[in-house]
Amino acid sequence: MYAMKYMNKQKCIERDEVRNVFRELQIMRGLDHPFLVNLWYSFQDEEDMFMVVDLLLGGDLRYHLQQNVHFTEGAVKLYICELALALEYLQRFHIIHRDIKPDNILLDEHGHVHITDFNIATIVKGAEKASSMAGTKPYMAPEVFQVYVEGGPGYSYPVDWWSLGITAYELLRGWRPYEIHSATPIDEILNMFKVERVHYSSTWCKGMVALLKKLLTKDPESRLSSLGDVQSAPYLADMNWDAVFEKALTPGFVPSKGRLNCDPTFELEEMILESRPLHKKKKRLAKNRSKDGTKDSCPLNGHLQQCLETVRKEFIIFNREKLRRQQGQTSQLLDTEGRAGSQTQGKLQDGCNNNILGHACSRGCSS
């Protein structure tokens, strides 16, 4: 089973969100990891753009915080490890997520975490850095605000590890280490980072406190910001990282299977507010097409029509199953060619000095 997200083209154009949708699609089609929400298909029709992704029934961590779930140190320790593997994977693809927070971390039915929402993620190559103000204020690293106010070289992957630290602290304590909200002025936030000290609960073990302190180091150069850094933390010395990757460790919190792990009131409001519900699409599109054929039809303004046509042409259609089949066929072809090549190679080696090592012989025979 999958989950489907759909976005109205006209609304995206009016809100200037098309670029974000395309960026998310571009990034997600190249990713496949056990701790991400993976894209399976993308397609479009006249009205909407569709993304089909992993179905995760455990709800997001924000919902569970609002339900006053008490996350144990053991549960948060495993979350940190799973998320560290996901962030390291993103880093390999030069991706900064820029919005790691409980709202964007979904649980599967067994309680493992999955990062979602890549629409403000960015790709940086080599020594490149990002410089735009992007993210959710309470989870944004100090250097993001500093770049915005003071300019400078920009920021990079360490911002996601700061967000991981804020998220882990909030899961353990029920509130964040800094009293920052979306309306908090930036100069006030920067002053907070300068003068306030983070308070760690005396009930937390020393290893967890030491790990959080390293994730919440204000200087990005000194912050833990790679999988290697996290794995070298004494607190995680006993972790079996292969077992973490394979989801072989049991999470400390498993969502209830007998209930809806989201706010039904909010979901119902979303359905009521949806002006173009999906279940009425077929009838609506047929009506629109019949209108288009009449003389008194009211056409969309020229600029909007042009934008819609651009979206239609540039939209990325994706099919992961088809891609996997093609990759499987390619690997089979390469394997067949490899076997044929090795047989030819064996015949060539038969004509060479049998005392010469195989790899040396192959170079000598092919020249």
Side-chain angles (χ1 to χ4, degrees), residues 18-299:
V18 173
R19 191 187 298 111
N20 286 0
V21 173
F22 280 13
R23 183 198 291 125
E24 186 169 21
L25 270 174
Q26 182 191 2
I27 288 172
M28 289 187 72
R29 67 178 179 159
L31 302 177
D32 187 4
H33 193 269
F35 300 119
L36 298 180
V37 176
N38 297 296
L39 177 71
W40 282 89
Y41 310 97
S42 62
F43 54 94
Q44 63 175 326
D45 64 17
E46 293 101 309
E47 287 186 339
D48 299 302
M49 298 173 281
F50 300 85
M51 293 169 65
V52 177
V53 298
D54 291 330
L55 176 65
L56 297 164
L57 297 171
D60 60 53
L61 290 178
R62 171 68 62 217
Y63 169 75
H64 294 297
L65 279 169
Q66 289 169 343
Q67 298 303 303
N68 298 314
V69 169
H70 172 67
F71 293 98
T72 63
E73 277 189 47
V76 175
K77 182 180 182 179
L78 182 57
Y79 290 162
I80 290 171
C81 294
E82 292 181 344
L83 292 167
L85 287 170
L87 289 181
E88 186 267 343
Y89 176 78
L90 294 179
Q91 214 160 309
R92 257 191 282 150
F93 286 89
H94 314 287
I95 296 164
I96 311 173
H97 185 279
R98 301 201 290 189
D99 208 17
I100 300 295
K101 58 182 180 181
D103 318 59
N104 287 338
I105 300 169
L106 304 183
L107 300 181
D108 61 28
E109 59 181 340
H110 304 293
H112 297 285
V113 291
H114 300 254
I115 296 173
T116 189
D117 200 348
F118 286 83
N119 75 30
I120 61 167
T122 191
I123 299 172
V124 291
K125 294 288 175 72
E128 248 180 26
K129 295 207 171 187
S131 58
S132 60
M133 182 85 159
T136 302
K137 274 186 181 177
Y139 301 90
M140 286 160 64
E143 61 267 30
V144 181
F145 299 107
Q146 284 163 356
V147 167
Y148 180 77
V149 172
E150 302 161 13
Y155 59 85
S156 193
Y157 308 111
V159 301
D160 284 343
W161 299 85
W162 169 276
S163 304
L164 173 59
I166 298 285
T167 298
Y169 184 104
E170 184 175 11
L171 292 173
L172 284 167
R173 197 145 206 189
W175 61 84
R176 295 183 291 269
Y178 296 98
E179 193 67 26
I180 298 170
H181 303 280
S182 57
T184 310
I186 292 171
D187 56 347
E188 198 176 307
I189 293 171
L190 286 170
N191 189 56
M192 225 180 275
F193 289 142
K194 281 179 187 172
V195 301
E196 289 188 17
R197 287 177 64 248
V198 174
H199 298 286
Y200 297 92
S201 172
S202 58
T203 63
W204 298 346
C205 76
K206 288 180 180 177
M208 174 62 87
V209 171
L211 178 60
L212 290 176
K213 281 182 176 177
K214 286 179 179 177
L215 286 168
L216 295 177
T217 299
K218 296 181 184 77
D219 176 11
E221 298 296 321
S222 308
R223 188 181 306 148
L224 288 189
S225 54
S226 72
L227 181 61
D229 289 346
V230 169
Q231 287 175 328
S232 65
Y235 180 59
L236 301 177
D238 63 336
M239 290 304 293
N240 179 338
W241 288 90
D242 289 334
V244 173
F245 183 79
E246 290 160 10
K247 297 185 180 179
L249 302 182
T250 305
F253 170 71
V254 178
S256 171
K257 290 179 183 175
R259 60 181 289 179
L260 194 63
N261 289 295
C262 63
D263 184 349
T265 311
F266 176 75
E267 298 298 325
L268 185 60
E269 282 173 1
E270 288 255 303
M271 286 174 69
I272 292 167
L273 290 169
E274 177 53 68
S275 59
R276 292 172 172 263
L278 206 57
H279 67 279
K280 294 183 179 178
K281 178 182 279 290
K282 191 174 179 181
K283 191 184 287 184
R284 188 169 60 249
L285 289 179
K287 190 177 177 183
N288 288 346
R289 287 186 193 114
S290 67
K291 270 187 182 179
D292 290 344
T294 63
K295 290 180 181 178
D296 59 343
S297 64
C298 181

Side-chain angles (χ1 to χ4, degrees), residues 349-367:
Q349 286 178 2
D350 285 344
C352 296
N353 185 337
N354 290 327
N355 294 324
I356 299 174
L357 291 173
H359 67 273
C361 181
S362 66
R363 285 202 297 270
C365 292
S366 61
S367 58

